């Protein structure tokens, strides 16, 4: 069967080991948001359909940026060859290869959005840096397997830009990089970060396999990394070894862009990750401490890339993905992203608890749970990434990330209890995700495999445990892990430290546990855009709705402080809080009858119970030394 499939691919395309495809990408116009590419494809005479990647690994969605794929010209033996897009599949191009043509010459461009507000994919470039994801500039024959196609890629950079990638390099000359032949699957799994302000940091000096951090920033100042931050990131590499016990890559490269023009995001790969965050990431200690970005994407090398749900282990980039097991792929990764951040010293324990309290609180008050269970958020992942904030608490979103944290924490506490403290969820990671050291490979799994893997660590009714949580309509979130850890969710009038840092970063003000409002306030009072109103909350009962803009509080022009002051005063009074809101061209006053004061979530210890959160987040690997000198 395998041999026949390969033979069929050869007939369609004519590629053999001796005739790889050549893909030459030119990033010299990246600061103008356009990537140029030329592709030489070995072909045979006759009809041929070329496809542009549609389902993007790690995005779990049909997000291939076909709308930004421009300028396609095809020729062969010196003559232009016409192409025709498929009537139904916008990602497919039909050509008729004339006799005498053994190589198609294609040229085309990919245009990156220039800002994050565009309603399409995220920007891949700024004036000073670029992230090249090869799927944006790749075509391949329909019906072939990317793991079996050989591409020889080259990349030309703007003058004096530097770069980082996990893709093996054959040679470099000036601004031209020629890569070693790789399968199309490996190429697409190996993005390249490049930029004018650039530096590399070794995260496992003297060790094999190597781990590197490549940083491209919008300004030189953002490249100043503190020695303690290097120490924590090296500890993260050490902690991953202690957790999984084996690695499934030849080398690992964190490709980090620091830019306020590209929204924070991360996409995982076997041997690298495309990590995007704020320009001040290393400069502002709160941003660094509160971000699990690098730990999350790194964890995916094991959980997501090596072990992958069968529905996401598709043979090419056109076959639809099934997201039903994303509560393992993303949920377990979300849990270990925050746990490894704490173990490696990136996040102080107090901040870890505050992040857990925040997750528990917003999910516990999630009205959308009454109509949509957690399983449905995973099954419909492909339409939920990028879902708007309006009515988010009713729509729900990609909740399997944060609710995954709660469920896997609970599973962790159950294993610890059932084994009298001898085992933990770490043992599941070690057996299910670790095993032997291997180069990148994919080992798919099903729900049954997860249940069996958990039972191999600690006998328990895991099928019922997971099924009930996936199918629950609430009303509460699964808080058993927090309770088993010796903590309980409480609300006080002291702001949650983790939410406060995120408020500053996202310019979103959280009044969701008091009035029931989430307000977007760029520049403070000039914003006031009400992005969500929690159904059943005091604001919702008063008639306030998402899409309105807050103008005044108790007759005075609104600011975040004036609104907080009004909430505090109403706590001891009987009068309603009067909100004046703009709804399109109309103004209306809403009387919010709320007297509960400001409310922010925290975890409080339960007397007499062991603090398992401290145990779970304890450093497991030998401590890494603070590097000497300046970074
Ligand atoms: Zn993830």
């Amino acid at each position: 069967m395998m041999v026949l499939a390969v033979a069929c691919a050869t007939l369609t395309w004519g590629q053999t080991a001796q005739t790889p495809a050549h893909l030459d990408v030119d990033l010299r116009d990246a600061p103008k948001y356009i990537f140029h590419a030329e592709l030489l494809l070995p072909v045979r005479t006759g009809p041929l359909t070329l496809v542009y990647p549609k389902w993007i690994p790690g995005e779990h969605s049909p997000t291939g940026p076909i709308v930004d794929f421009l300028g396609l010209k095809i020729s062969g033996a010196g003559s232009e060859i016409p192409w025709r897009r498929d009537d139904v599949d916008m990602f497919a191009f039909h050509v008729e290869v004339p006799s005498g043509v053994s190589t198609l010459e294609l040229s085309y461009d990919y245009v990156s959005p220039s800002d994050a507000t565009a309603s399409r994919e995220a920007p891949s470039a700024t004036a000073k840096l670029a992230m090249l994801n090869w799927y944006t500039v790749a075509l391949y024959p329909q019906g072939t397997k990317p793991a079996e196609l050989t591409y020889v890629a080259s990349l030309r950079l703007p003058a004096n830009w530097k770069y980082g990638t996990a893709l093996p390099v054959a040679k470099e000359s000036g601004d031209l990089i020629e890569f070693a032949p790789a399968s199309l699957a490996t190429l697409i799994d190996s993005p390249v970060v490049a930029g004018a302000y650039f530096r590399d940091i070794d995260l496992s000096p003297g060790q094999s396999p190597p781990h590197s951090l490549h940083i491209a920033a919008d300004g030189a100042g953002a490249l100043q990394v503190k020695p303690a931050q290097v120490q924590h990131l090296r500890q993260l590499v050490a902690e991953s070894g202690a957790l999984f016990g084996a690695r499934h890559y030849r080398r690992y490269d964190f490709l980090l862009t620091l830019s306020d023009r590209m929204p924070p995001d991360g996409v995982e790969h076997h041997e690298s990750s495309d990590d995007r965050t704020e320009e001040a990431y290393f400069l502002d200690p709160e941003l660094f401490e509160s971000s699990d970005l690098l730990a999350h994407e790194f964890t995916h090398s094991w959980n997501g890339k090596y072990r992958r749900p069968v529905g996401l282990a598709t043979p090419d980039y056109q076959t639809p993905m099934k997201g039903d097991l994303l509560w393992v792929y993303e949920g377990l990764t979300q849990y270990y992203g925050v746990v490894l951040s704490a173990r490696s010293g990136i996040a102080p324990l107090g901040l870890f608890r505050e992040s857990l309290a925040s997750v528990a609180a917003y999910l516990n008050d999630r009205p959308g749970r009454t109509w949509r269970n957690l399983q449905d958020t995973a099954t419909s992942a492909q339409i939920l990434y990028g879902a708007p904030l309006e009515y988010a608490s009713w729509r729900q979103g990609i909740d399997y990330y944060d609710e995954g944290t709660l469920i896997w924490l609970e599973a962790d506490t159950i294993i610890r209890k059932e084994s009298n403290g001898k085992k933990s969820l770490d043992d599941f990671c070690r057996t299910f995700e670790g095993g032997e050291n291997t180069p990148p490979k994919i080992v798919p799994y099903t729900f049954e495999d997860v249940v069996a893997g958990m039972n191999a660590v600690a006998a328990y009714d895991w099928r019922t445990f997971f099924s009930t949580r996936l199918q629950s309509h609430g009303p509460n979130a699964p808080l058993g892990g927090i309770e088993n850890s010796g903590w309980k969710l409480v609300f006080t009038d002291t702001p949650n430290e983790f939410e406060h840092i995120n408020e500053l970063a996202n310019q979103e003000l959280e009044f969701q546990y008091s009035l029931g409002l989430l307000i977007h306030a760029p520049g403070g009072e000039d914003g006031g855009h009400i992005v969500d109103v929690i159904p059943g909350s005091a604001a919702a009962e008063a008639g306030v709705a998402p899409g309105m803009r807050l103008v005044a509080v108790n007759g005075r022009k609104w600011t975040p402080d004036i609104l907080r002051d009004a909430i505090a005063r109403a706590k001891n009074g009987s009068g309603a809080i009067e909100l004046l809101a703009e709804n399109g061209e109309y103004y209306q006053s809403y009387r919010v009858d709320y007297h509960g004061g400001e409310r922010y979530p925290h975890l409080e210890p339960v007397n007499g119970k062991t603090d398992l959160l401290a145990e779970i987040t304890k450093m497991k690997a030998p401590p890494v030394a603070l590097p000497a000198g300046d970074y």
Side-chain angles (χ1 to χ4, degrees):
M1 291 284 282
M2 283 288 280
V3 175
L4 277 178
V6 172
C8 189
T10 307
L11 281 176
T12 315
W13 185 10
Q15 193 203 43
T16 68
Q18 288 74 40
T19 56
H22 286 261
L23 176 59
D24 302 314
V25 177
D26 185 345
L27 286 187
R28 284 177 293 181
D29 282 336
K32 294 194 280 183
Y33 307 103
I34 188 163
F35 300 1
H36 308 294
E38 289 183 4
L39 176 63
L40 298 182
L41 269 184
V43 289
R44 294 199 177 172
T45 304
L48 174 68
T49 300
L50 299 172
V51 287
Y52 185 74
K54 178 178 184 178
W55 287 81
I56 307 304
E59 296 190 357
H60 323 311
S61 309
T63 41
I66 188 68
V67 70
D68 289 314
F69 179 70
L70 313 180
L72 177 62
K73 291 271 191 182
I74 303 178
S75 62
S79 301
E80 188 161 343
I81 297 173
W83 56 264
R84 180 178 66 79
R85 192 187 302 260
D86 189 80
D87 290 329
V88 174
D89 181 357
M90 296 296 106
F91 295 73
F93 302 89
H94 303 295
V95 293
E96 183 72 30
V97 180
S99 62
V101 170
S102 57
T103 302
L104 282 189
E105 298 154 30
L106 302 96
S107 66
Y108 46 78
D109 301 320
Y110 161 68
V111 171
S112 163
S114 58
D115 68 68
T117 55
S119 61
R120 49 199 218 269
E121 82 275 11
S124 296
T126 73
K128 295 296 177 187
L129 60 84
M131 182 71 78
L132 172 64
N133 273 295
W134 298 96
Y135 66 77
T136 62
V137 287
L139 288 172
Y140 67 104
Q142 189 175 53
T144 58
K145 291 189 173 133
E148 295 169 359
L149 305 175
T150 304
Y151 278 57
V152 180
S154 77
L155 180 61
R156 196 174 284 282
L157 297 176
N160 302 317
W161 279 30
K162 296 193 175 77
Y163 74 98
T165 180
L167 193 63
V169 173
K171 64 175 180 178
E172 281 180 51
S173 49
D175 298 316
L176 180 68
I177 307 138
E178 294 175 67
F179 295 99
S183 72
L184 178 61
T186 298
L187 188 68
I188 287 182
D189 192 51
S190 309
V192 183
V193 66
Y197 302 112
F198 198 93
R199 66 177 301 191
D200 298 313
I201 296 176
D202 188 343
L203 292 186
S204 56
Q207 293 174 36
S208 180
H211 297 76
S212 304
L213 173 64
H214 309 281
I215 315 169
D218 271 345
L223 298 175
Q224 292 166 27
V225 182
K226 296 173 184 67
Q229 292 170 325
V230 175
Q231 181 189 26
H232 297 322
L233 294 175
R234 286 178 176 169
Q235 190 70 41
L236 172 63
V237 172
E239 292 298 331
S240 70
L243 173 61
F244 295 108
R247 302 183 187 278
H248 307 290
Y249 44 78
R250 298 166 293 178
R251 52 180 289 160
Y252 193 89
D253 298 85
F254 293 94
L255 315 177
L256 180 64
T257 49
L258 303 178
S259 170
D260 296 332
R261 299 193 57 80
M262 310 210 304
D265 193 14
V267 177
E268 62 277 14
H269 299 283
H270 284 278
E271 302 186 292
S272 62
S273 47
D274 169 351
D275 308 302
R276 307 172 180 210
T277 192
E278 289 91 348
E279 189 171 346
Y281 176 67
F282 288 111
L283 307 179
D284 179 346
E286 289 192 332
L287 281 181
F288 183 81
E289 289 175 359
S290 66
S291 173
D292 63 340
L293 173 69
L294 297 183
H296 179 106
E297 303 308 338
F298 191 29
T299 300
H300 269 317
S301 178
W302 293 264
N303 183 49
K305 302 309 289 189
Y306 170 59
R307 294 311 306 267
R308 196 176 306 175
V310 66
L312 294 175
T314 47
D316 55 39
Y317 307 112
Q318 316 310 121
T319 305
M321 294 177 182
K322 293 177 188 165
D324 57 329
L325 285 168
L326 278 167
W327 56 275
V328 187
Y329 183 122
E330 294 295 357
L332 181 62
T333 301
Q334 188 75 2
Y335 177 60
Y336 272 103
V338 293
V339 166
L340 287 177
S341 291
R343 284 183 189 172
S344 55
I346 294 169
L349 181 54
L351 192 61
F352 167 81
R353 281 197 302 266
E354 288 281 82
S355 73
L356 207 52
S358 171
V359 162
Y362 95 81
L363 289 170
N364 208 33
D365 272 331
R366 203 74 161 155
R369 190 188 300 280
T370 58
W371 73 272
R372 163 180 257 168
N373 58 26
L374 185 67
Q375 180 60 69
D376 187 60
T377 68
T379 301
S380 54
Q382 58 175 285
I383 56 171
L384 287 178
Y385 282 99
L389 280 173
E390 286 83 3
Y391 286 107
S393 63
W394 182 233
R395 183 197 321 276
Q396 298 191 272
I398 45 176
D399 289 18
Y400 46 84
Y401 282 77
D402 283 338
E403 198 153 321
T405 296
L406 300 179
I407 290 172
W408 288 103
L409 168 64
E410 188 173 6
D412 199 350
T413 61
I414 289 171
I415 295 174
R416 286 165 195 265
K417 182 163 179 266
E418 295 292 313
S419 66
N420 291 317
K422 289 192 186 68
K423 289 187 174 174
S424 73
L425 193 61
D426 291 7
D427 293 280
F428 172 73
C429 289
R430 183 171 270 265
T431 52
F432 199 75
E433 323 263 4
E436 301 291 315
N437 287 322
T438 69
K441 64 186 269 195
I442 302 169
V443 183
Y445 62 81
T446 62
F447 176 82
E448 294 303 320
D449 294 330
V450 176
V451 169
M454 290 292 283
N455 268 316
V457 176
Y460 190 75
D461 188 1
W462 293 111
R463 184 188 315 280
T464 305
F465 173 85
F466 290 123
S467 298
T468 52
R469 281 152 189 77
L470 287 165
Q471 289 157 18
S472 167
H473 285 286
N476 297 120
L479 300 186
I482 290 174
E483 289 152 17
N484 295 347
S485 302
W487 296 83
K488 67 176 177 193
L489 178 65
V490 298
F491 291 86
T492 75
D493 57 5
T494 306
N496 175 293
E497 192 188 344
F498 180 78
E499 290 183 350
H500 181 65
I501 295 168
N502 275 296
E503 277 188 357
L504 296 177
N506 301 329
Q507 301 172 321
E508 270 159 20
L509 303 172
E510 305 229 14
F511 296 97
Q512 57 179 322
Y513 311 114
S514 52
L515 300 179
L517 289 179
L518 190 66
I519 299 174
H520 191 222
E525 62 268 32
D526 290 337
H529 298 279
I530 297 169
V531 291
D532 200 13
V533 179
I534 313 289
S537 66
E541 295 297 307
V544 183
M548 298 177 179
R549 197 175 74 81
L550 186 57
V551 177
V553 180
N554 292 336
R556 189 172 179 187
K557 183 179 174 182
W558 104 281
T559 68
D561 282 342
I562 281 175
L563 181 56
R564 287 193 189 98
D565 185 57
I567 294 170
R569 284 170 186 278
K571 188 177 182 183
N572 301 316
S574 56
I577 300 168
E578 195 169 308
L579 302 181
L580 178 66
E582 186 183 274
N583 186 4
E585 295 83 40
Y586 291 87
Y587 290 84
Q588 189 169 334
S589 205
Y590 299 90
R591 294 177 61 79
V592 182
D593 197 13
Y594 174 75
H595 306 282
E598 288 191 80
R599 292 177 81 238
Y600 303 102
H602 304 282
L603 296 188
E604 199 176 87
V606 177
N607 280 342
K609 290 196 83 172
T610 308
D611 178 6
L612 275 185
L613 293 184
E615 183 60 35
I616 288 167
T617 54
K618 221 181 251 172
M619 193 181 280
K620 302 289 190 285
V624 170
L626 184 70
D630 278 346
Y631 270 86

